[in-house]
Amino acid sequence: MLRDLSPAAVSAGFVATLVGFTSTIALIFHAARSLGATPEQVSSWVLALGIGMGVTTIGLSLWQRAPILITWSTPGAAVIASAASGVSLGEATGAFLVCGLLMLLCGVTRWFERIMDRIPVALASALLAGILAKFALMAFAGGSTHPGLVVTMLLTYLVGKRWWPRYAVLGVLIVGTVVAASQGLLNTHELKLDWARPVWVTPQWSWHAVIGMGLPLFIVTMASQAVPGVSAIRVSGYAAPVSPLMSWSGVATIVLAPFGGYTFNLAAITAAIVLSPHAHADKARRYTAAVMAGVFYIAMGVLGGAVAGLLNAFPAALIMGVAGMALLGTIASGLAASLREDRFREAALITFLVTLSGVTLLGVGSAFWGLVAGTLTLFVENFHTRPDQDIDTP
């Protein structure tokens, strides 16, 4: 591990953790508070999520020698917040356990892996590109409010790609932080040290919570995160076993749900950061970036209450700028792979556009519907009726 480690891998792991926490930590806080969680219980959620993501990421990445990033379910947090009405924290914990059991079942029976094996690489690549392109668009959209910051970061990225490609993203992070500080955009006065402590919540069983929260949480997590997460790993050229990854995600959810670890699953957006060549020039050593992300996850979780202040110190334009530029290479590779073959081109394009649109139907995100639209297009294009046989007349 130490021989394979590089500064670029450490940087990629830090950026992946930073992007993962800053992009959705506010949603996690909202979901916990919607269930009536106390400040101590909210801090326990951060601790459980950080420990769960860190331990599973480190363990699975070292086991497979591949960058495997486990994260919380971002759309799942939205489901929890929307379904919290009339559900106690104990009943929600019972629903989290049901979700974890269903994930474990998918892994043990290999149902999910069989479905993933039938998805063409072109559609998987288009799906991944559509998810990541949204973040790249948000990175450049930040130029409308902070043009100096975004333009400087872009120039740093271009110069870095020309002269030090392995450390281009690290350079963007450093320069962006310096520029943000010079413009007074860093809220360092909010930083404070506050350790998190685990708080146990006894699960309570309620059919209302299981059906209204547990099942939607499972469906949304698998459709919106597991599918693109597996696609990200496979598109990057790694043959990680899908079923064990699902099984361990389910186990982590079951173990940590009483402390606030509501759902764990494969990352897609942040995984692309540790899967890219920016993380390490040598594909075989790129797993170290995921391991470092796991270390930073644990550190974030242990700090607990201090995380909110730390994340609020960085402006959104800086975070999205670093994320968007770190993902440019992966987006380009995904688009190239998705449009390479003529027979998959239109289906892949529709998959990309529907995913990029951000449409949400029945509580399920655009990643799932993009894949549905692309698969339907592919089916219609390749559906052949049996030709009528010619009849010879005397």
Side-chain angles (χ1 to χ4, degrees), residues 28 31-32 35 41-50 89 96 259-260 262:
I28 302 298
L35 293 169
Q41 291 170 331
V42 173
S43 179
S44 178
W45 275 47
V46 177
L47 175 63
L49 292 169
L89 188 58
F96 302 161
F259 301 99
Y262 63 93

Side-chain angles (χ1 to χ4, degrees), residues 20 53 57 69-73 225 263-268 270 297:
M53 293 187 297
T57 294
L69 203 63
I70 302 296
T71 186
W72 59 49
S73 172
Q225 284 204 215
T263 309
F264 299 93
N265 213 302
L266 290 171
T270 50
Y297 274 145

Side-chain angles (χ1 to χ4, degrees), residues 236-302:
S236 300
Y238 295 95
V242 176
S243 294
L245 300 184
M246 292 297 102
S247 297
W248 282 111
S249 297
V251 170
T253 302
I254 293 170
V255 172
L256 294 172
F259 301 99
Y262 63 93
T263 309
F264 299 93
N265 213 302
L266 290 171
I269 297 170
T270 50
I273 297 175
V274 299
L275 286 164
S276 72
H278 291 299
H280 206 295
D282 186 353
K283 176 183 171 183
R285 299 182 179 182
R286 216 167 284 166
Y287 73 95
T288 57
V291 172
M292 290 309 303
V295 173
F296 289 125
Y297 274 145
I298 294 174
M300 288 281 196
V302 171

Side-chain angles (χ1 to χ4, degrees), residues 156-165 168:
T156 303
Y157 175 80
L158 296 176
V159 172
K161 286 289 291 182
R162 176 64 178 84
W163 280 286
W164 59 88

Side-chain angles (χ1 to χ4, degrees), residues 27-37 77 80-87 89:
L27 183 58
I28 302 298
F29 283 8
H30 175 62
R33 289 167 180 165
S34 298
L35 293 169
I80 294 171
S82 63
S85 178
V87 177
L89 188 58

Side-chain angles (χ1 to χ4, degrees), residues 143-154:
S144 61
T145 54
H146 303 288
L149 175 63
V150 175
V151 170
T152 303
M153 293 170 66
L154 177 59

Side-chain angles (χ1 to χ4, degrees), residues 59-236:
L60 293 174
S61 296
L62 290 175
W63 172 41
Q64 291 295 315
R65 284 297 189 269
I68 298 173
L69 203 63
I70 302 296
T71 186
W72 59 49
S73 172
T74 299
V79 170
I80 294 171
S82 63
S85 178
V87 177
S88 67
L89 188 58
E91 291 173 335
T93 302
F96 302 161
L97 289 175
V98 171
C99 178
L101 288 171
L102 291 174
M103 292 167 59
L104 177 59
L105 182 63
C106 279
V108 172
T109 58
R110 300 186 63 189
W111 290 341
F112 183 71
E113 185 172 1
R114 293 190 183 100
I115 295 174
M116 289 302 303
D117 287 340
R118 295 182 177 273
I119 299 176
V121 175
L123 264 61
S125 301
L127 174 71
L128 180 63
I131 294 171
L132 302 182
K134 290 186 288 187
F135 276 73
L137 290 174
M138 293 170 64
F140 293 109
S144 61
T145 54
H146 303 288
L149 175 63
V150 175
V151 170
T152 303
M153 293 170 66
L154 177 59
L155 292 175
T156 303
Y157 175 80
L158 296 176
V159 172
K161 286 289 291 182
R162 176 64 178 84
W163 280 286
W164 59 88
R166 291 180 60 186
Y167 306 105
V169 178
L170 177 60
V172 171
L173 176 62
I174 294 173
V175 172
T177 303
V178 172
V179 173
S182 66
Q183 295 179 348
L185 299 176
L186 297 182
N187 301 318
T188 55
H189 63 278
E190 295 188 9
L191 297 177
K192 61 179 180 179
L193 183 63
D194 189 9
W195 304 101
R197 296 174 179 82
V199 178
W200 171 272
V201 175
T202 301
Q204 299 175 7
W205 306 105
S206 164
W207 286 111
H208 169 69
V210 170
I211 296 175
M213 182 180 293
L215 292 181
L217 179 62
F218 166 73
I219 294 171
V220 167
T221 298
M222 298 299 287
S224 300
Q225 284 204 215
V227 172
V230 173
S231 300
I233 295 174
R234 291 185 170 181
V235 168
S236 300

